[in-house]
Amino acid sequence: MPTPVVVLIVVAVVAAVAWYLLARGRADSQPAPARSEPRLSEVDFKVAGATAHVYFDTQIPGEGPDDVLTSLMGREAMRIFESKADHLPLAEVKHVAAHGRQAGQPVLVTTVHIKKPAEMGRLDAPKDTDVVMAGDVAASDDPLGKLHAMEFGRGGGYRGGGDELPPLSEELHIPAKVIEAVAGSADSLLGMRLEDFITGLLRASGYQVVEKEDGTKRATKGGTTTYLEFVEHLPGSHPELDERSIDAFIMKFMGSHADRAMLFTAKYGPYAVYEKERRNTKVTFMTRERLQTFVDSVAMI
């Protein structure tokens, strides 16, 4: 082959490789998608004078809501109000009232005062958090369906440092009614395993949770079965979920015949988690940085 032809071929190959690397670098440098907190569907929305009323199906304890539940419902009511303010005439609204249900009747939980009237197209952008909604959420009585309908961003994840992690009970904001549903008369989650906490929440939410011979569990409700696995964080172990556990979880799910799969863990999620979820939309990893979202969805039932 003549030397000029060889040179041209080499130049073409080098150019192709350079173009590929440049394109890949641009793709990797793309910013993560904008994130917004999960929004739960309201039962009803009404405006009376200067107050917008948001009604939820959330069950309120007889002794009333605690500060955590009150704050959560106030935030959800404000988000729903803001989502409607860009297409409804709500400029005169100065207060947003969040209502739950108690003994089958609506009950006022909290009223949030708007610092300035809402104007169409001039609402503040939502703050960055860990998740992005992917379409409409599932039915309000299916927390696992809500989670599965979410597309989680890369989130904060593990920031480095020591391998020791504080107890989840110190990090999560858990309403008293949720603690009571899981811990009962003990009135404390201190020392409770993540698996016991999650399965307790699921049973309190109406799921039938059964354990198989291999130690894995299935949660069934409304004809949908979710394959469950749990990975605790043992003292001295690495704070991130390892890829071996990730791959084993997916393989077991594929042989389980369940409709979807969720792995709950007290560890943080590595980048591999997001790649696996992107490739297999039936699996969701509820890593440490995502667990508050699950608690919030259960609290709003």
Side-chain angles (χ1 to χ4, degrees):
M1 183 179 293
T3 301
V5 176
V6 174
V7 172
L8 288 175
I9 292 175
V10 172
V11 170
V13 171
V14 171
V17 171
W19 178 87
Y20 168 77
L21 293 175
L22 179 60
R24 182 178 179 180
R26 287 175 177 171
D28 291 342
S29 65
Q30 289 297 317
R35 296 186 289 274
S36 59
E37 294 185 16
R39 301 185 180 187
L40 304 179
S41 299
E42 82 281 8
V43 175
D44 201 1
F45 179 87
K46 298 178 180 178
V47 176
T51 303
H53 299 269
V54 184
Y55 296 86
F56 297 100
D57 258 340
T58 304
Q59 300 302 310
I60 307 301
E63 64 275 16
D66 64 352
D67 291 343
V68 179
L69 183 59
T70 298
S71 177
L72 172 62
M73 294 186 66
R75 293 200 311 270
E76 298 301 334
M78 276 299 300
R79 291 193 190 107
I80 288 172
F81 167 74
E82 290 174 354
S83 71
K84 295 178 181 295
D86 63 349
H87 61 277
L88 292 177
L90 300 176
E92 300 303 318
V93 173
K94 295 179 174 57
H95 318 283
V96 178
H99 302 259
R101 297 190 69 82
Q102 193 176 70
Q105 299 297 321
V107 58
L108 176 65
V109 173
T110 186
T111 299
V112 181
H113 302 286
I114 303 173
K115 294 182 180 179
K116 61 179 181 179
E119 297 181 25
M120 290 176 23
R122 297 190 60 185
L123 290 172
D124 293 335
K127 296 180 180 179
D128 274 1
T129 52
D130 290 336
V131 298
V132 167
M133 291 305 298
D136 293 333
V137 297
S140 61
D141 61 347
D142 182 14
L144 295 183
K146 290 193 191 76
L147 296 174
H148 200 69
M150 294 178 186
E151 180 185 343
F152 288 84
R154 294 183 62 177
Y158 177 56
R159 298 296 187 183
D163 290 344
E164 297 302 320
L165 297 176
L168 281 170
S169 58
E170 295 180 6
E171 289 192 355
L172 298 178
H173 302 287
I174 307 175
K177 77 167 195 173
V178 173
I179 296 176
E180 182 181 359
V182 178
S185 58
D187 198 30
S188 174
L189 301 177
L190 188 63
M192 181 178 290
R193 296 189 310 158
L194 174 68
E195 180 173 350
D196 295 333
F197 174 59
I198 297 298
T199 54
L201 281 182
L202 292 177
R203 289 190 172 107
S205 301
Y207 290 90
Q208 180 183 10
V209 182
V210 297
E211 183 170 350
K212 297 295 183 179
E213 295 180 356
D214 61 358
T216 60
K217 289 182 169 62
R218 309 289 191 278
T220 303
K221 187 177 184 183
T224 300
T225 298
T226 303
Y227 172 82
L228 302 175
E229 273 195 27
F230 304 89
V231 177
E232 306 284 345
H233 176 68
L234 302 178
S237 64
H238 189 60
E240 272 192 339
L241 187 64
D242 62 277
E243 293 200 32
R244 180 181 300 177
S245 298
I246 293 172
D247 292 336
F249 162 67
I250 294 176
M251 291 298 294
K252 289 181 180 179
F253 161 59
M254 292 176 65
S256 71
H257 305 294
D259 300 298
R260 61 196 180 202
M262 290 189 177
L263 183 149
F264 290 84
T265 180
K267 295 176 177 288
Y268 288 104
Y271 180 77
V273 160
Y274 314 108
E275 282 296 300
K276 300 294 185 182
E277 289 176 334
R278 183 176 62 83
R279 295 175 183 176
N280 188 339
T281 58
K282 291 186 177 182
V283 301
T284 301
F285 293 85
M286 292 308 302
T287 50
R288 191 180 191 93
E289 65 270 30
R290 301 176 173 183
L291 290 176
Q292 184 66 58
T293 304
F294 175 63
V295 172
D296 290 349
S297 69
V298 172
M300 291 295 291
I301 294 179

